[in-house]
Amino acid sequence: MATWNKKKITLESGEIADAQAPEIISASRSTDIPAFYADWFFHRLEVGYSAWKNPFNGVKSYISYDNTRFIIFWSKNPKQLLPHLEYLKSRGIGCYIQYSINDYECDGLERNVPSLTERIDTFAALVEQLGVGGVIWRNDPLVLTDTISIDELLDKAAKIGDQLKGLTEKIVFSFADIAVYKKVRANLDKNGIKYREWTEELMHEYANRLSEMNKNRGWNFKLATCGERIDLQKYGVEHNHCIDDELIIRRAYNDSELMKFLKVKIESIPQNNLFGEVTHLPSDAILLPDGKRYATRGNNKDSGQREFCGCMRSKDIGEYNTCIHQCEYCYANTSKEEATRNYNTHNANPMAETITGR
């Protein structure tokens, strides 16, 4: 479990409290902050802190944003971030967005997301501000049902990928692992979705065909899976680092404080000597956008995540049971009703310390 520097903060009530002061924020694996709580988040960022309740024991703790240098956003509809990105720049805070775009419009799996056309327009608008690499396409989870086959999932991916060509560097996908996650299974059963489990054979087939599509359609995306045990490297599919220190370094290598936190060393790319001999870079070298330097970093892996999660250390500030996209396969909500109740309490007190307004 990642640990962070602690500091004393003054709450809006005037009380003094202990707070974690993380350098990297995840906003959020637990809910869709950009879609539903963007104004709350940026208000709390300006105030300097927010509160968070542990999902397992309900204990309330505080997060100070005094040391925050980078934010990773996760969303199915990050349009509400657009007016706030300039504020992040003014604060010297970097970011990138994990943007989940699926084409389940006719399948009833994502009832409260905007149209596919609108979501792709939002993707392009975000790239215009953040640049290619600042927005990552997540095509997940991949759900098999009695009406959705591998052929259909690939057709859906082709439809999206053709429109995102040139706008992103990577596609991240995951296979819906329904049997393992009780919430997901319960939600699908409750809503009458006749799902099918992925087998290793089906995963290999999907990865192979997606890889061929990536080449044949000229996308040239990096392919990666999120949190999957299965090895698909022979199809050019890597294990992803959704909180990715390499990407953070490429986007924020001029931030000396953040580089210090990530244990980064930056060196000049060596020139050939007089005899034309090449000095080879370290195997883990990260080439920087200036074309003149490379970086190496220490071990930043978050040991508190799932076994096959490659994420780096970050502090997630979201809370479960607060997302109202109402996706049928949701892992973050116990029920749609509870999520709606919490969203309503948020709206009654929208700038409170916590997302729920309590």
Side-chain angles (χ1 to χ4, degrees):
M1 183 70 69
T3 57
W4 303 98
N5 291 327
K6 301 288 181 68
K7 66 174 301 178
K8 299 284 186 182
I9 61 171
T10 303
L11 306 182
E12 289 174 300
S13 64
E15 297 177 71
I16 305 298
D18 292 318
Q20 301 177 67
E23 281 79 3
I24 299 176
I25 295 292
S26 168
S28 156
R29 295 182 181 93
S30 304
T31 190
D32 197 325
I33 285 176
F36 304 117
Y37 305 102
D39 289 343
W40 169 83
F41 174 71
F42 282 93
H43 172 73
R44 298 314 310 178
L45 189 63
E46 190 168 4
V47 169
Y49 79 93
S50 63
W52 174 82
K53 287 189 177 179
N54 187 300
F56 302 105
N57 58 24
V59 173
K60 187 177 184 180
S61 60
Y62 295 94
I63 302 101
S64 165
Y65 297 115
D66 284 358
N67 294 347
T68 298
R69 309 300 305 166
F70 207 94
I71 301 169
I72 293 85
F73 293 104
W74 311 67
S75 186
K76 290 181 182 295
N77 179 25
K79 188 175 183 178
Q80 296 304 317
L81 290 181
L82 286 166
H84 295 289
L85 293 177
E86 197 59 41
Y87 175 72
L88 289 183
K89 291 180 185 177
S90 72
R91 286 275 302 264
I93 298 174
C95 76
Y96 64 80
I97 301 167
Q98 297 273 354
Y99 192 168
S100 292
I101 301 186
N102 305 306
D103 181 14
Y104 293 136
E105 285 186 311
C106 298
D107 306 295
L109 293 180
E110 299 177 341
R111 297 186 183 278
N112 280 1
V113 299
S115 70
L116 182 59
T117 298
E118 182 178 340
R119 284 178 283 150
I120 289 174
D121 287 345
T122 296
F123 198 108
L126 289 165
V127 171
E128 188 173 345
Q129 290 203 40
L130 297 176
V132 175
V135 191
I136 296 164
W137 173 29
R138 299 183 66 91
N139 189 213
D140 76 320
L142 297 171
V143 181
L144 291 173
T145 72
D146 57 339
T147 60
I148 304 175
S149 65
I150 282 183
D151 287 344
E152 286 162 326
L153 287 173
L154 287 164
D155 286 344
K156 293 172 186 293
K159 179 180 177 182
I160 300 168
D162 286 347
Q163 297 178 79
L164 297 184
K165 180 180 177 181
L167 293 177
T168 190
E169 298 176 337
K170 182 186 285 188
I171 171 175
V172 179
F173 60 98
S174 65
F175 306 104
D177 198 354
I178 296 162
V180 173
Y181 294 99
K182 292 181 181 179
K183 279 186 188 178
V184 176
R185 186 171 69 248
N187 284 330
L188 288 171
D189 287 340
K190 181 179 179 181
N191 295 298
I193 305 298
K194 297 179 180 178
Y195 57 85
R196 293 183 291 141
E197 293 285 358
W198 286 88
T199 64
E200 286 202 6
E201 182 181 2
L202 290 173
M203 292 178 191
H204 278 280
E205 179 186 349
Y206 185 88
N208 183 29
R209 292 174 63 183
L210 180 67
S211 179
E212 289 301 311
M213 182 186 295
N214 188 38
K215 297 172 188 172
N216 295 338
R217 301 180 91 91
W219 297 345
N220 299 317
F221 298 145
K222 292 179 182 178
L223 305 180
T225 54
C226 175
E228 297 288 350
R229 176 190 298 268
I230 193 167
D231 185 351
L232 301 172
Q233 290 186 67
K234 65 181 179 180
Y235 311 116
V237 180
E238 62 187 36
H239 292 286
N240 200 48
H241 310 284
C242 300
I243 308 293
D244 185 350
D245 56 351
E246 178 176 342
L247 181 56
I248 292 171
I249 290 165
R250 287 198 285 118
R251 294 187 62 80
Y253 60 92
N254 286 323
D255 185 333
S256 59
E257 289 299 314
L258 183 57
M259 295 305 99
K260 181 179 179 181
F261 169 75
L262 293 172
K263 302 180 285 291
V264 170
K265 293 182 179 179
I266 296 179
E267 307 283 353
S268 296
I269 296 174
Q271 302 297 312
N272 296 352
N273 64 22
L274 293 174
F275 302 100
E277 295 171 333
V278 178
T279 302
H280 294 288
L281 298 181
S283 60
D284 62 344
I286 301 165
L287 296 178
L288 300 181
D290 63 12
K292 300 176 181 179
R293 295 179 291 170
Y294 71 92
T296 57
R297 79 283 204 193
N299 179 14
N300 299 306
K301 193 174 187 306
D302 187 347
S303 60
Q305 295 299 327
R306 296 171 294 166
E307 181 181 359
F308 297 100
C309 175
C311 281
M312 304 300 110
R313 293 174 61 201
S314 66
K315 173 58 183 173
D316 200 285
I317 62 162
E319 291 191 36
Y320 290 118
N321 292 309
T322 57
C323 181
I324 59 165
H325 281 310
Q326 306 213 335
C327 301
E328 305 297 350
Y329 53 75
C330 184
Y331 73 89
N333 291 338
T334 303
S335 70
K336 296 176 182 177
E337 293 76 16
E338 186 170 356
T340 300
R341 282 195 296 272
N342 286 330
Y343 183 66
N344 288 338
T345 63
H346 161 81
N347 284 334
N349 193 10
M351 299 303 168
E353 294 178 334
T354 65
I355 281 180
T356 60
R358 297 190 181 97

